[in-house]
Amino acid sequence: QVQLVESGGGSVQAGGSLRLSCAASGSAYSIYYMGSMGWFRQAPGKEREGVAAIEHDGTTNYADSVKGRFTISQNNAKNTLYLQMNSLKPEDTAMYYCAGSSTVVRGTLNQYEYNYWGQGTQVTVSS
């Protein structure tokens, strides 16, 4: 089993930056060989959407809405996932979730392909 815990959310003005972290614990083998890790977000009244994903080999995938502003990365042990968010906009306001997939190997932004989820961290961007 794998547990994911997000941190780093908060309130920031438009144009500011935040760095989210996701700490993975549990089976070291499962964590290291996770096929894909991703960040998702859900704003009130909206569907959860994929923001960024990273494959085991470091290949990344981003939603068009965050390309050039957000960067997903992992530490070498692959037990901590990061999301650096720059040039934040009010429309980035949402609960952000970390997710892991043991079933796919590509960096998918499809939430239904992820089987491990954190509890979320709130990001609020004011104009």
Side-chain angles (χ1 to χ4, degrees):
Q1 248 329 342
V2 175
Q3 295 78 43
L4 303 174
V5 178
E6 303 93 337
S7 61
S11 297
V12 65
Q13 288 193 324
S17 298
L18 282 173
R19 189 192 197 201
L20 304 184
S21 298
C22 171
S25 61
S27 166
Y29 181 89
S30 295
I31 291 168
Y32 188 80
Y33 288 104
M34 198 77 73
S36 178
M37 296 288 295
W39 287 98
F40 292 78
R41 66 186 181 188
Q42 187 169 21
K46 293 189 176 182
E47 294 285 320
R48 186 158 57 184
E49 62 175 353
V51 173
I54 186 166
E55 300 175 10
H56 184 75
D57 67 358
T59 302
T60 57
N61 184 23
Y62 295 94
D64 288 343
S65 59
V66 306
K67 279 181 182 176
R69 300 189 298 123
F70 290 11
T71 302
I72 188 172
S73 62
Q74 282 180 302
N75 64 349
N76 288 338
K78 300 191 185 298
N79 56 13
T80 306
L81 183 71
Y82 303 101
L83 185 68
Q84 178 66 44
M85 304 186 295
N86 298 328
S87 302
L88 282 161
K89 304 175 181 180
E91 50 264 44
D92 294 318
T93 295
M95 184 72 78
Y96 282 71
Y97 298 91
C98 169
S101 175
S102 58
T103 59
V104 298
V105 296
R106 66 189 185 283
T108 177
L109 297 180
N110 181 349
Q111 61 173 316
Y112 298 106
E113 296 188 280
Y114 287 83
N115 51 328
Y116 297 109
W117 290 89
Q119 294 300 306
T121 185
Q122 178 68 37
V123 171
T124 303
V125 184
S126 58
S127 57

